[in-house]
Amino acid sequence: MPLDNVVFWVFAPICIGSAIAMLFQRNAVHAALLLIVNFFTIAVFYLVLGASFLFAVQIVVYAGAIMVLFLFVIMLLGVDRHESLVEQIRGQRVIGITLGVGLALELFFAIRAGVGLSAEAPANFDEVANRGGNAVALSRLLFRSYFFPFEVTSILLIIAAVAVMVLAARPRPRPAAADTRDHEILPERAGGPSGPETHEREPEPAR
């Protein structure tokens, strides 16, 4: 058996298992760590396929920078806060499943129309689409053909990160128990003993 197949069958169960375990985790930190494991296994798949640039990007950008940002936001918001599992919007689970299936179908038909579903690359792929190597071809697409969507996406990510930090930095309201000190009933007003400051009763004048 070729070495590529051995690496694939070793890392494929880890990739699928970490993805499934991430979906069923209740702790947000554990889910983020499992997602990092999944990103590392995908990076290994890129390396097996000969896409060394995507392998480096997957490690440095996704498993490194983006997941560190995720963990920072999770720790900033707090991991001890328990969220309600009751659906606040009716039908959101059905809508989410429908959108997920629609996205999977869109990817399927887009890949089929673009490069096909065969195991081999299209004819003249290295001379046309991948001319100059994987890194050159990818940079040509990102910074020429899709430069504007690429920059808009980066701006949206920055806006989302700043918005989360602004919302988390808002001053929290003080608990209502702190205001009860102004409404406490003093012992003298309640008619009870006044403690060490109790004054002795003056003697009644003799008749």
Side-chain angles (χ1 to χ4, degrees):
M1 181 180 294
L3 183 59
D4 294 350
N5 293 343
V6 174
V7 173
F8 174 79
W9 288 111
V10 169
F11 282 91
I14 300 176
C15 179
I16 298 175
S18 60
I20 295 176
M22 181 197 67
L23 296 177
F24 291 98
Q25 280 295 325
R26 294 181 179 272
N27 192 310
V29 177
H30 296 167
L33 294 176
L34 287 171
L35 186 58
I36 293 176
V37 174
N38 185 265
F39 282 162
F40 271 105
T41 56
I42 293 176
V44 173
F45 295 153
Y46 284 143
L47 187 62
V48 170
L49 293 174
S52 56
F53 178 76
L54 293 179
F55 163 77
V57 168
Q58 184 76 14
I59 294 292
V60 175
V61 178
Y62 285 94
I66 293 181
M67 289 312 303
V68 168
L69 179 62
F70 280 8
L71 288 174
F72 172 74
V73 172
I74 290 172
M75 299 303 294
L76 187 65
L77 295 178
V79 295
D80 297 331
R81 185 174 59 185
H82 297 283
E83 299 291 342
S84 176
L85 300 179
V86 180
E87 295 184 4
Q88 302 295 330
I89 303 175
R90 294 182 179 180
Q92 63 177 357
R93 185 174 300 180
V94 178
I95 295 174
I97 294 174
T98 304
L99 292 177
V101 173
L103 179 60
L105 292 176
E106 182 182 0
L107 290 175
F108 173 80
F109 289 110
I111 294 173
R112 181 180 178 183
V115 297
L117 300 176
S118 61
E120 299 179 357
N124 300 326
F125 178 76
D126 291 332
E127 291 79 9
V128 179
N130 205 32
R131 185 176 68 256
N134 184 259
V136 176
L138 185 60
S139 60
R140 187 186 304 115
L141 287 175
L142 285 180
F143 299 107
R144 288 186 181 179
S145 302
Y146 299 97
F147 178 75
F148 181 73
F150 178 74
E151 293 298 327
V152 169
T153 304
S154 63
I155 293 173
L156 289 177
L157 290 175
I158 294 174
I159 293 174
V162 173
V164 168
M165 289 187 285
V166 169
L167 292 175
R170 287 183 176 178
R172 298 180 180 178
R174 296 182 178 179
D179 300 329
T180 57
R181 291 178 300 178
D182 299 336
H183 305 286
E184 290 180 354
I185 301 176
L186 298 178
E188 293 87 358
R189 298 178 183 176
S194 57
E197 297 182 356
T198 304
H199 300 284
E200 295 181 358
R201 182 178 298 179
E202 295 181 359
E204 296 181 358
R207 297 180 180 179

